[in-house]
Amino acid sequence: DTGVSQDPRHKITKRGQNVTFRCDPISEHNRLYWYRQTLGQGPEFLTYFQNEAQLEKSRLLSDRFSAERPKGSFSTLEIQRTEQGDSAMYLCASSLARQGIWGNTIYFGEGSWLTVV
Amino acid sequence: GNSVTQMEGPVTLSEEAFLTINCTYTATGYPSLFWYVQYPGEGLQLLLKATKADDKGSNKGFEATYRKETTSFHLEKGSVQVSDSAVYFCALSDRTSGTYKYIFGTGTRLKVLA
């Protein structure tokens, strides 16, 4: 396994610009998650996919945020018209969900830092 | 709704001291419980987990026991090292509540001094 990889690792953008983050999960992992983490806080759930289907979205995910997983492999998280409050680390995680198995471990990438200036 | 509460940090200990980081949870069903660790500039790594009541998770000298009666999953280590300095997150996943998302606590920073 090469692990969960995220790109870019760091992004500085001006307020009002759009940004896109990419996540490549561990191969064969069918579930993919996006979280947001600010300094001194734990990860906050944004959304998750089972294969290509987006099954749940947090109320934190405003209409400026959109996530896709078009072929059930990599995923993208786009933020439109960025605001300073969007500055955070965006974490991607993946897991292999199997029927009847509880408590699957989710594996995190190293995160993508976003700074909006 | 489901939630996780952790003790506030930072926790500062001398090397070889005993560590306890408290974690309690609220869940409507029967959650699985996790401890993750985050080193500076990195993502979260699984430290240990327990999927049912009375299970004990252990790894790298860390242990935590799933206590349903007290809704707790406290992290312990008998003798900490400087290399254990990191932020520790308690988390739960409660499939029986109809969601597969994981809920994390706010984290507890541990500093171990040589």
Side-chain angles (χ1 to χ4, degrees):
Chain A
D1 283 336
T2 56
V4 177
S5 63
Q6 294 187 240
D7 182 71
R9 292 291 314 280
H10 301 273
K11 178 74 176 178
I12 300 174
T13 192
K14 291 184 179 178
R15 190 175 51 185
Q17 298 293 304
N18 299 346
V19 295
T20 299
F21 300 111
R22 176 181 169 119
C23 172
D24 288 273
I26 294 171
S27 65
E28 299 182 355
H29 277 194
N30 51 7
R31 206 167 276 160
L32 187 148
Y33 298 79
W34 285 101
Y35 281 82
R36 180 170 67 188
Q37 186 180 22
T38 53
L39 279 175
Q41 298 298 313
E44 296 175 296
F45 171 77
L46 293 178
T47 188
Y48 81 88
F49 294 82
Q50 173 97 8
N51 299 312
E52 66 273 11
Q54 188 173 21
L55 296 186
E56 188 173 346
K57 291 195 295 186
S58 163
R59 280 170 281 179
L60 290 175
L61 216 63
S62 76
D63 56 6
R64 296 185 298 105
F65 287 71
S66 62
E68 294 182 342
R69 195 182 183 200
K71 297 182 180 178
S73 56
F74 74 92
S75 175
T76 57
L77 176 69
E78 182 183 19
I79 309 174
Q80 295 183 325
R81 305 182 303 282
T82 52
E83 301 172 357
Q84 287 188 321
D86 297 331
S87 295
M89 181 158 70
Y90 291 85
L91 290 163
C92 178
S94 70
S95 71
L96 177 61
R98 290 163 289 185
Q99 197 158 4
I101 305 295
W102 293 26
N104 299 302
T105 299
I106 58 172
Y107 297 86
F108 283 87
E110 294 190 329
S112 293
W113 280 101
L114 173 64
T115 302
V116 181
V117 297
Chain B
N2 297 340
S3 66
V4 174
T5 302
Q6 289 183 236
M7 61 187 286
E8 295 221 2
V11 173
T12 303
L13 296 173
S14 298
E15 207 165 22
E16 299 183 3
F18 184 84
L19 169 71
T20 300
I21 300 178
N22 291 338
C23 170
T24 57
Y25 67 89
T26 302
T28 54
Y30 301 96
S32 298
L33 302 173
F34 305 80
W35 278 101
Y36 278 81
V37 59
Q38 186 174 35
Y39 298 100
E42 298 184 10
L44 282 73
Q45 303 172 25
L46 177 70
L47 183 58
L48 53 84
K49 70 178 185 182
T51 57
K52 61 183 188 296
D54 300 325
D55 269 3
K56 178 186 282 188
S58 61
N59 185 28
K60 299 181 182 178
F62 291 89
E63 292 183 339
T65 301
Y66 187 159
R67 301 281 188 206
K68 191 169 186 291
E69 64 276 13
T70 54
T71 62
S72 65
F73 192 54
H74 304 321
L75 183 68
E76 296 183 335
K77 186 175 186 185
S79 175
V80 293
Q81 305 300 311
V82 172
S83 57
D84 294 327
S85 299
V87 182
Y88 292 81
F89 294 94
C90 186
L92 70 81
S93 171
D94 184 7
R95 176 186 167 276
T96 56
S97 65
T99 175
Y100 293 97
K101 69 183 179 188
Y102 291 67
I103 295 171
F104 288 82
T106 54
T108 303
R109 180 175 298 278
L110 170 65
K111 295 182 184 178
V112 181
L113 306 176

